[in-house]
Coordinates of all heavy atoms in Angstrom, one line a residue:
G69 N -11.4 13.8 1.6 CA -11.7 13.3 0.3 C -10.5 13.5 -0.7 O -9.6 14.3 -0.4
L70 N -10.6 12.7 -1.7 CA -9.6 12.8 -2.8 C -10.4 12.9 -4.1 O -11.2 12.0 -4.4 CB -8.7 11.5 -2.8 CG -7.9 11.3 -4.0 CD1 -6.7 12.3 -4.1 CD2 -7.3 9.8 -4.0
A71 N -10.1 13.9 -4.9 CA -10.9 14.0 -6.2 C -9.9 14.0 -7.3 O -8.9 14.8 -7.3 CB -11.8 15.2 -6.2
Y72 N -10.1 13.1 -8.3 CA -9.3 13.1 -9.5 C -10.0 14.0 -10.6 O -11.2 13.9 -10.7 CB -9.2 11.7 -10.1 CG -8.5 10.7 -9.2 CD1 -9.2 9.7 -8.5 CD2 -7.1 10.8 -9.0 CE1 -8.5 8.8 -7.7 CE2 -6.4 9.8 -8.2 CZ -7.1 8.9 -7.6 OH -6.5 7.9 -6.8
G73 N -9.2 14.7 -11.3 CA -9.7 15.3 -12.5 C -9.6 14.2 -13.6 O -8.7 13.5 -13.6
V74 N -10.7 14.2 -14.4 CA -10.7 13.2 -15.5 C -10.3 14.1 -16.8 O -11.0 15.0 -17.1 CB -12.0 12.6 -15.7 CG1 -12.0 11.6 -16.9 CG2 -12.5 11.9 -14.4
F75 N -9.2 13.7 -17.4 CA -8.7 14.5 -18.6 C -8.8 13.6 -19.8 O -8.3 12.5 -19.8 CB -7.3 15.0 -18.4 CG -7.2 15.9 -17.2 CD1 -7.0 15.5 -15.9 CD2 -7.2 17.3 -17.4 CE1 -6.9 16.4 -14.8 CE2 -7.1 18.2 -16.4 CZ -6.9 17.7 -15.1
E76 N -9.4 14.1 -20.9 CA -9.4 13.4 -22.1 C -8.5 14.2 -23.1 O -8.9 15.4 -23.4 CB -10.8 13.2 -22.7 CG -10.8 12.3 -23.8 CD -12.1 12.3 -24.6 OE1 -12.8 13.4 -24.6 OE2 -12.5 11.3 -25.2
N77 N -7.5 13.6 -23.6 CA -6.5 14.3 -24.4 C -6.2 15.7 -23.9 O -6.1 16.7 -24.6 CB -7.1 14.4 -25.8 CG -7.4 13.1 -26.4 OD1 -6.6 12.1 -26.2 ND2 -8.5 13.0 -27.1
G78 N -5.9 15.7 -22.5 CA -5.4 16.9 -21.9 C -6.5 17.9 -21.4 O -6.2 18.8 -20.7
Q79 N -7.7 17.7 -21.8 CA -8.8 18.6 -21.5 C -9.6 18.0 -20.3 O -9.9 16.8 -20.2 CB -9.8 18.7 -22.7 CG -10.9 19.7 -22.4 CD -11.9 19.7 -23.6 OE1 -11.8 18.8 -24.5 NE2 -12.8 20.6 -23.6
L80 N -9.9 18.9 -19.3 CA -10.7 18.4 -18.1 C -12.1 18.2 -18.6 O -12.8 19.1 -19.1 CB -10.7 19.5 -17.0 CG -11.4 19.1 -15.7 CD1 -10.6 18.0 -15.0 CD2 -11.5 20.3 -14.8
V81 N -12.6 16.9 -18.3 CA -14.0 16.6 -18.8 C -14.9 16.2 -17.6 O -16.1 16.1 -17.8 CB -14.0 15.4 -19.8 CG1 -13.3 15.9 -21.1 CG2 -13.4 14.2 -19.2
G82 N -14.3 16.1 -16.4 CA -15.2 15.7 -15.2 C -14.3 15.4 -14.0 O -13.1 15.6 -14.1
T83 N -14.9 14.8 -13.0 CA -14.2 14.4 -11.8 C -14.7 13.1 -11.3 O -15.9 12.7 -11.6 CB -14.2 15.4 -10.7 OG1 -15.4 15.3 -10.0 CG2 -14.0 16.8 -11.1
V84 N -13.8 12.4 -10.7 CA -14.3 11.2 -9.9 C -13.5 11.2 -8.6 O -12.3 11.4 -8.6 CB -14.1 9.9 -10.7 CG1 -12.8 9.7 -11.3 CG2 -14.4 8.7 -9.9
G85 N -14.2 11.0 -7.5 CA -13.5 11.1 -6.2 C -14.0 10.2 -5.1 O -15.1 9.7 -5.3
F86 N -13.3 10.2 -4.1 CA -13.7 9.4 -2.9 C -13.9 10.4 -1.7 O -13.2 11.3 -1.5 CB -12.6 8.4 -2.5 CG -12.3 7.4 -3.6 CD1 -11.2 7.5 -4.4 CD2 -13.2 6.3 -3.8 CE1 -10.9 6.5 -5.4 CE2 -12.9 5.4 -4.8 CZ -11.8 5.5 -5.5
Q87 N -15.0 10.2 -1.0 CA -15.4 11.0 0.1 C -16.0 10.2 1.2 O -16.3 9.0 1.1 CB -16.3 12.1 -0.4 CG -17.6 11.5 -1.0 CD -18.4 12.6 -1.8 OE1 -18.2 13.8 -1.6 NE2 -19.3 12.1 -2.7
H88 N -16.2 10.9 2.4 CA -16.8 10.3 3.6 C -16.0 9.0 3.9 O -16.6 8.0 4.3 CB -18.3 9.9 3.3 CG -19.1 11.1 2.9 ND1 -19.1 12.3 3.6 CD2 -20.0 11.3 1.9 CE1 -19.9 13.1 3.0 NE2 -20.5 12.5 1.9
G89 N -14.7 9.1 3.9 CA -13.9 7.9 4.3 C -14.0 7.6 5.7 O -14.2 8.5 6.6
D90 N -14.0 6.3 6.1 CA -14.0 5.8 7.4 C -12.9 4.8 7.5 O -13.1 3.7 7.1 CB -15.4 5.3 7.7 CG -15.5 4.6 9.1 OD1 -14.5 4.4 9.7 OD2 -16.7 4.4 9.5
E91 N -11.8 5.3 8.0 CA -10.6 4.4 8.0 C -10.7 3.2 8.9 O -10.3 2.1 8.5 CB -9.3 5.2 8.4 CG -8.0 4.5 8.1 CD -6.8 5.4 8.2 OE1 -6.9 6.5 8.6 OE2 -5.8 4.9 7.7
R92 N -11.4 3.4 10.0 CA -11.5 2.2 11.0 C -12.3 1.1 10.3 O -12.0 -0.1 10.4 CB -12.2 2.7 12.2 CG -12.8 1.5 13.0 CD -12.8 1.7 14.5 NE -13.2 0.5 15.2 CZ -13.7 -0.6 14.7 NH1 -14.1 -0.7 13.5 NH2 -14.0 -1.6 15.5
N93 N -13.4 1.5 9.6 CA -14.2 0.5 9.0 C -13.8 0.2 7.5 O -14.4 -0.7 6.9 CB -15.7 0.9 9.1 CG -16.2 0.8 10.5 OD1 -16.1 -0.2 11.2 ND2 -16.7 1.9 11.0
Q94 N -12.9 0.9 7.0 CA -12.3 0.8 5.7 C -13.5 0.9 4.6 O -13.6 0.0 3.7 CB -11.6 -0.6 5.6 CG -10.4 -0.6 6.5 CD -9.7 -2.0 6.6 OE1 -10.4 -3.0 6.5 NE2 -8.4 -2.0 6.7
T95 N -14.2 2.0 4.8 CA -15.3 2.3 3.8 C -15.2 3.7 3.3 O -14.6 4.6 4.0 CB -16.7 2.1 4.5 OG1 -16.8 3.1 5.5 CG2 -16.9 0.7 5.1
V96 N -15.7 3.9 2.1 CA -15.6 5.2 1.5 C -16.7 5.3 0.5 O -17.4 4.3 0.1 CB -14.2 5.3 0.8 CG1 -14.1 4.6 -0.5 CG2 -13.7 6.7 0.7
E97 N -17.0 6.5 0.1 CA -18.1 6.7 -0.9 C -17.5 7.3 -2.2 O -16.6 8.1 -2.1 CB -19.2 7.7 -0.4 CG -20.4 7.8 -1.3 CD -21.5 8.6 -0.6 OE1 -21.7 8.5 0.6 OE2 -22.2 9.4 -1.3
I98 N -18.0 6.8 -3.4 CA -17.4 7.4 -4.6 C -18.5 8.4 -5.2 O -19.7 8.2 -5.1 CB -17.1 6.2 -5.6 CG1 -16.2 6.7 -6.8 CG2 -18.4 5.5 -6.1 CD1 -15.6 5.6 -7.6
G99 N -17.9 9.4 -5.8 CA -18.8 10.4 -6.5 C -18.2 10.8 -7.8 O -17.0 10.6 -8.0
Y100 N -19.0 11.2 -8.8 CA -18.5 11.4 -10.1 C -19.5 12.2 -10.9 O -20.7 12.2 -10.7 CB -18.3 10.0 -10.8 CG -19.4 9.1 -10.6 CD1 -20.5 9.1 -11.4 CD2 -19.4 8.2 -9.5 CE1 -21.6 8.3 -11.2 CE2 -20.5 7.4 -9.2 CZ -21.6 7.4 -10.1 OH -22.7 6.6 -9.8
W101 N -18.9 12.9 -11.9 CA -19.8 13.6 -12.9 C -18.9 14.0 -14.1 O -17.7 14.1 -13.9 CB -20.4 14.9 -12.3 CG -19.4 15.9 -11.8 CD1 -18.7 15.9 -10.6 CD2 -18.9 17.0 -12.6 NE1 -17.8 16.9 -10.6 CE2 -17.9 17.6 -11.8 CE3 -19.1 17.5 -13.9 CZ2 -17.2 18.8 -12.2 CZ3 -18.4 18.6 -14.3 CH2 -17.4 19.2 -13.4
L102 N -19.5 14.2 -15.2 CA -18.8 14.6 -16.4 C -19.5 15.9 -16.9 O -20.8 16.0 -16.8 CB -18.9 13.6 -17.5 CG -18.2 12.2 -17.3 CD1 -18.4 11.3 -18.4 CD2 -16.7 12.4 -17.0
G103 N -18.8 16.8 -17.5 CA -19.4 17.9 -18.2 C -20.4 17.4 -19.2 O -20.2 16.3 -19.8
T104 N -21.5 18.1 -19.4 CA -22.6 17.6 -20.2 C -22.2 17.1 -21.6 O -22.6 16.1 -22.1 CB -23.7 18.7 -20.3 OG1 -24.0 19.1 -19.0 CG2 -24.9 18.2 -21.1
P105 N -21.3 17.9 -22.4 CA -20.9 17.4 -23.7 C -20.1 16.1 -23.7 O -20.0 15.5 -24.8 CB -20.1 18.5 -24.3 CG -20.2 19.7 -23.4 CD -20.7 19.2 -22.0
F106 N -19.7 15.7 -22.5 CA -18.8 14.5 -22.5 C -19.5 13.3 -22.0 O -18.9 12.2 -21.8 CB -17.5 14.8 -21.6 CG -16.8 16.1 -22.1 CD1 -17.0 17.3 -21.4 CD2 -16.1 16.0 -23.3 CE1 -16.3 18.4 -21.8 CE2 -15.4 17.2 -23.7 CZ -15.6 18.4 -23.0
Q107 N -20.8 13.4 -21.7 CA -21.6 12.2 -21.2 C -22.0 11.3 -22.4 O -22.1 11.7 -23.5 CB -22.8 12.7 -20.5 CG -22.4 13.6 -19.2 CD -23.6 14.2 -18.6 OE1 -24.8 13.9 -18.9 NE2 -23.4 15.2 -17.7
G108 N -22.3 10.1 -22.0 CA -22.8 9.1 -23.0 C -21.8 8.6 -24.0 O -22.2 8.1 -25.0
K109 N -20.5 8.6 -23.6 CA -19.5 8.2 -24.6 C -18.6 7.1 -23.9 O -17.6 6.8 -24.4 CB -18.6 9.3 -25.0 CG -19.3 10.5 -25.6 CD -18.3 11.6 -25.9 CE -19.0 12.8 -26.6 NZ -18.2 13.9 -26.9
G110 N -19.1 6.6 -22.8 CA -18.3 5.5 -22.1 C -17.1 6.0 -21.3 O -16.4 5.3 -20.7
L111 N -17.0 7.4 -21.2 CA -15.8 7.9 -20.4 C -16.0 7.6 -18.9 O -14.9 7.3 -18.3 CB -15.7 9.4 -20.7 CG -15.4 9.9 -22.1 CD1 -15.3 11.4 -22.1 CD2 -14.0 9.3 -22.5
A112 N -17.2 7.7 -18.4 CA -17.3 7.5 -16.9 C -17.0 6.0 -16.6 O -16.4 5.7 -15.6 CB -18.7 7.8 -16.5
T113 N -17.4 5.1 -17.4 CA -17.1 3.7 -17.2 C -15.6 3.5 -17.1 O -15.1 2.9 -16.1 CB -17.6 2.8 -18.3 OG1 -19.0 3.0 -18.5 CG2 -17.3 1.3 -18.1
R114 N -14.8 4.1 -18.0 CA -13.3 4.0 -18.0 C -12.7 4.7 -16.8 O -11.8 4.2 -16.1 CB -12.8 4.5 -19.3 CG -13.1 3.6 -20.5 CD -12.9 4.3 -21.8 NE -11.5 4.6 -22.0 CZ -11.1 5.6 -22.9 NH1 -12.1 6.3 -23.6 NH2 -9.9 5.9 -23.0
A115 N -13.3 5.9 -16.5 CA -12.7 6.7 -15.4 C -12.9 6.0 -14.0 O -12.1 6.0 -13.2 CB -13.3 8.1 -15.4
L116 N -14.2 5.5 -13.8 CA -14.4 4.8 -12.6 C -13.6 3.6 -12.4 O -13.2 3.3 -11.3 CB -15.9 4.5 -12.4 CG -16.7 5.6 -11.6 CD1 -16.9 6.9 -12.3 CD2 -18.0 5.1 -11.1
R117 N -13.4 2.8 -13.5 CA -12.6 1.6 -13.4 C -11.2 2.0 -12.9 O -10.6 1.4 -12.0 CB -12.5 0.9 -14.8 CG -13.7 0.1 -15.1 CD -13.3 -1.1 -15.9 NE -14.5 -1.9 -16.2 CZ -15.2 -1.8 -17.3 NH1 -14.8 -1.1 -18.3 NH2 -16.3 -2.6 -17.4
L118 N -10.6 3.1 -13.5 CA -9.3 3.5 -13.1 C -9.3 3.9 -11.6 O -8.3 3.6 -10.9 CB -8.8 4.7 -13.9 CG -8.4 4.4 -15.4 CD1 -8.0 5.8 -16.1 CD2 -7.1 3.5 -15.4
A119 N -10.2 4.7 -11.2 CA -10.3 5.2 -9.8 C -10.5 4.1 -8.8 O -9.8 4.0 -7.8 CB -11.4 6.3 -9.7
L120 N -11.4 3.1 -9.2 CA -11.6 2.0 -8.2 C -10.4 1.1 -8.1 O -10.0 0.7 -7.0 CB -12.8 1.2 -8.8 CG -14.2 1.9 -8.6 CD1 -15.2 1.2 -9.5 CD2 -14.6 1.9 -7.2
K121 N -9.7 0.9 -9.2 CA -8.5 0.1 -9.2 C -7.4 0.8 -8.3 O -6.8 0.1 -7.5 CB -8.0 0.0 -10.7 CG -6.8 -1.0 -10.8 CD -6.6 -1.3 -12.3 CE -5.6 -2.4 -12.6 NZ -4.2 -1.9 -12.3
A122 N -7.3 2.1 -8.5 CA -6.3 2.9 -7.6 C -6.7 2.7 -6.2 O -5.9 2.4 -5.3 CB -6.3 4.3 -8.1
G123 N -8.0 2.9 -5.8 CA -8.4 2.9 -4.5 C -8.2 1.5 -3.8 O -7.7 1.4 -2.7
F124 N -8.6 0.5 -4.6 CA -8.4 -0.9 -4.0 C -7.0 -1.3 -3.9 O -6.6 -2.0 -3.0 CB -9.3 -1.9 -4.8 CG -10.7 -1.9 -4.5 CD1 -11.7 -1.7 -5.5 CD2 -11.2 -2.1 -3.2 CE1 -13.0 -1.7 -5.2 CE2 -12.5 -2.1 -2.9 CZ -13.5 -1.9 -3.9
E125 N -6.2 -0.9 -4.9 CA -4.7 -1.3 -4.9 C -3.9 -0.5 -3.9 O -3.0 -1.1 -3.3 CB -4.1 -1.1 -6.3 CG -4.3 -2.3 -7.2 CD -3.7 -2.1 -8.6 OE1 -2.8 -1.2 -8.8 OE2 -4.0 -3.0 -9.4
H126 N -4.2 0.7 -3.7 CA -3.3 1.6 -2.9 C -3.8 2.0 -1.6 O -3.2 2.8 -0.8 CB -2.9 2.8 -3.7 CG -2.2 2.4 -5.0 ND1 -1.1 1.6 -5.1 CD2 -2.6 2.7 -6.3 CE1 -0.8 1.4 -6.4 NE2 -1.7 2.1 -7.1
T127 N -5.0 1.5 -1.2 CA -5.5 1.7 0.2 C -6.1 0.3 0.6 O -6.2 -0.6 -0.1 CB -6.6 2.7 0.3 OG1 -7.9 2.1 -0.1 CG2 -6.3 4.0 -0.5
A128 N -6.4 0.3 1.9 CA -7.0 -1.0 2.5 C -8.5 -0.9 2.4 O -9.2 -1.7 3.1 CB -6.5 -1.1 3.9
V129 N -9.1 0.0 1.6 CA -10.5 0.1 1.6 C -11.2 -1.3 1.2 O -10.7 -2.0 0.4 CB -11.0 1.2 0.5 CG1 -10.8 0.8 -0.9 CG2 -12.4 1.6 0.8

Side-chain angles (χ1 to χ4, degrees):
L70 167 71
Y72 296 107
V74 180
F75 297 85
E76 191 194 27
N77 301 322
Q79 182 186 12
L80 183 69
V81 297
T83 79
V84 48
F86 298 104
Q87 56 195 343
H88 305 309
D90 176 342
E91 190 165 12
R92 164 151 189 338
N93 291 307
Q94 300 173 323
T95 64
V96 80
E97 184 172 327
I98 195 165
Y100 44 86
W101 61 276
L102 295 176
T104 307
F106 306 103
Q107 297 172 12
K109 302 175 178 178
L111 293 180
T113 304
R114 290 163 64 203
L116 262 73
R117 279 211 180 102
L118 285 177
L120 289 164
K121 187 165 187 289
F124 282 122
E125 271 183 14
H126 302 304
T127 78
V129 71

